[in-house]
Amino acid sequence: MKMSFRWYGDSDPVTLEYIRQIPGMYSIVSAIYDIPVGEVWDEGSIAALVKKVEDAGLKLDVIESVPVHEDIKLGKPSRDRYLANYCQTIRNLAKYGIKVICYNFMPVFDWLRSDLDYKLDDNSSALIFRQAEVDAMNPRTSDLSLPGWDSSYTKDGLNKLLDEYKDIDADKLWENFAYFLNAIIPVCDEVDMKMAIHPDDPPWPIFGLPRIITGADSYDKMIEICPSINNGFTVCTGSLGASPANDLPAIIRKYGDRAHFIHLRNIKITDDHCFEESAHLSSCGSLDMYEIMKAMSEIGFDMYVRPDHGRMIWGEKGRPGYGLFDRALGATYINGLWEAIDKNAKAGGKA
Ligand code: DNO
């Protein structure tokens, strides 16, 4: 297991220096944020990012994310230009030593929550999702600003895009996704790049838009479309785990050879389609982090993990889900679980 940490670049109040001080930290997970979606990531920008991270004593092995242009998801004629650009970005990233690209195929919106600053009993604050509150939101009329929302959308632009999705159901989205995979995976095979799709978060449709990467069935379908091992997954425990139908240790045992990247975090399911993002510890939420990591050990997992969303604790103010303190606690907890599981496995269960 290689421990990594998400860093949002120079504007991130969590500096590379702080990240390096977390015990066991190996790699940074980041992206280039100032190139418009769909354009090629040029070599100069990639080289500068790699240098910055390496100068701080860390590696840059994982990109999260290279976003997929909406025209690709919509299957518009312009998709071929954007696909050619995506392939060139893959080639450029491979040239500078990037091993894994995390991405998603969610229409319009990325991850979604109903409240970004919900006070828990201990006075820390967390992100939560309540279906009834989301159902009451109207992205067409309200001024919502949520973490996964592309802030560059104007109201008119967003409404036009939502109109374009009117004819896109889950089958059509799968068709467009297959077209995407068939275009990019051969390039990954050429340059040895591992693609790792992030599950839809939460793993069910929102605002009437289809969402297709929701659990084991989606993984089977993806492998059938494109069997290359480079067609892989970011197993995000908090995203998949929001649906009780997803048995995470079983998913890791079955698909672990394609889990190039794992996001480890816990959530507490509070009701049907409702959850709070709890601290990482198993006893704080609904997921058994020990069982999840035991499954990783059983399959000999040797790829990248990162602690995922943290609560805001100790007075920290910052990007929702991405402060320093609770994620650093998460990393330390994950490292502790891993050391115990690994030593026990090596001792044949007798440690
Ligand atoms: C949320 C993240 C997601 C993820 C993208 C990957 O915290 O896990 O925004 O980065 O879906 O493309």
Side-chain angles (χ1 to χ4, degrees):
M1 175 185 95
K2 297 179 184 76
M3 179 58 74
S4 64
F5 209 79
R6 192 170 195 179
W7 179 62
Y8 278 96
D10 291 331
S11 68
D12 194 333
V14 181
T15 62
L16 288 171
E17 190 188 3
Y18 292 170
I19 297 172
R20 192 181 174 198
Q21 290 166 356
I22 302 169
M25 201 44 71
Y26 177 83
S27 170
I28 285 297
V29 172
S30 194
I32 294 172
Y33 295 99
D34 56 2
I35 297 181
V37 176
E39 298 310 317
V40 176
W41 289 19
D42 58 280
E43 291 192 36
S45 306
I46 298 170
L49 181 62
V50 169
K51 182 169 182 322
K52 197 168 281 171
V53 170
E54 289 182 351
D55 284 352
L58 293 157
K59 291 187 183 311
L60 182 73
D61 286 357
V62 182
I63 294 296
E64 178 173 352
S65 315
V66 179
V68 177
H69 196 277
E70 295 298 325
D71 287 10
I72 297 178
K73 299 179 211 166
L74 285 162
K76 288 167 76 168
S78 47
R79 70 177 154 181
D80 290 323
R81 180 174 95 76
Y82 291 119
L83 282 167
N85 287 352
Y86 205 98
C87 290
Q88 190 55 45
T89 296
I90 293 173
R91 287 195 182 94
N92 291 353
L93 288 169
K95 193 163 164 190
Y96 289 86
I98 306 303
K99 312 272 188 298
V100 176
I101 296 175
C102 170
Y103 71 105
N104 74 72
F105 213 79
M106 291 178 243
V108 192
F109 307 108
D110 192 322
W111 58 307
L112 182 84
R113 298 291 180 267
S114 49
D115 190 343
L116 305 179
D117 192 21
Y118 179 79
K119 286 271 171 294
L120 300 174
D121 288 348
D122 61 4
N123 222 21
S124 62
S125 70
L127 296 96
I128 65 163
F129 184 96
R130 287 186 181 149
Q131 189 66 51
E133 285 167 25
V134 172
D135 290 343
M137 297 174 178
N138 183 348
R140 286 180 179 271
T141 52
S142 36
D143 251 342
L144 298 172
S145 167
L146 290 166
W149 294 43
D150 183 339
S151 48
S152 65
Y153 290 142
T154 58
K155 188 77 27 215
D156 279 357
L158 180 62
N159 281 331
K160 201 167 147 267
L161 187 57
L162 288 169
D163 286 343
E164 288 188 288
Y165 271 99
K166 275 191 175 142
D167 298 326
I168 307 286
D169 59 9
D171 287 344
K172 190 75 199 146
L173 192 61
W174 268 110
E175 222 176 87
N176 297 341
F177 184 38
Y179 191 94
F180 168 77
L181 290 177
N182 286 324
I184 64 150
I185 297 295
V187 176
C188 297
D189 292 345
E190 253 172 58
V191 298
D192 199 15
M193 179 66 82
K194 303 217 158 358
M195 296 302 295
I197 192 161
H198 190 283
D200 301 348
D201 184 355
W204 52 77
I206 54 152
F207 302 136
L209 294 162
R211 289 194 150 193
I212 56 175
I213 307 301
T214 53
D217 289 352
S218 321
Y219 288 172
D220 287 337
K221 225 164 159 169
M222 275 184 69
I223 297 168
E224 204 186 309
I225 293 169
C226 206
S228 163
I229 198 73
N230 293 321
N231 181 21
F233 317 127
T234 296
V235 173
C236 175
T237 60
S239 306
L240 290 174
S243 165
N246 285 324
D247 175 343
L248 285 158
I251 286 179
I252 288 167
R253 280 190 197 96
K254 182 156 180 206
Y255 303 98
D257 58 336
R258 282 170 199 268
H260 305 313
F261 190 23
I262 299 188
H263 289 177
L264 289 165
R265 72 178 156 91
N266 206 346
I267 50 157
K268 187 167 165 189
I269 299 179
T270 48
D271 207 339
D272 188 27
H273 289 78
C274 295
F275 58 87
E276 294 170 5
E277 296 194 353
S278 56
H280 285 68
L281 198 72
S282 300
S283 59
C284 292
S286 304
L287 305 182
D288 189 329
M289 303 307 283
Y290 169 74
E291 286 299 333
I292 289 171
M293 296 198 68
K294 199 148 77 63
M296 288 163 55
S297 161
E298 278 167 30
I299 61 154
F301 182 81
D302 193 28
M303 293 297 281
Y304 302 87
V305 298
R306 68 169 176 85
D308 207 354
H309 306 169
R311 301 159 303 143
M312 283 298 161
I313 59 171
W314 304 338
E316 187 176 14
K317 301 256 174 286
R319 187 184 288 269
Y322 286 98
L324 171 64
F325 302 146
D326 204 36
R327 283 191 300 152
L329 289 179
T332 297
Y333 168 64
I334 292 164
N335 279 332
L337 268 182
W338 189 249
E339 180 176 338
I341 292 169
D342 199 45
K343 284 190 172 154
N344 198 42
K346 286 188 181 127
K350 296 196 186 74

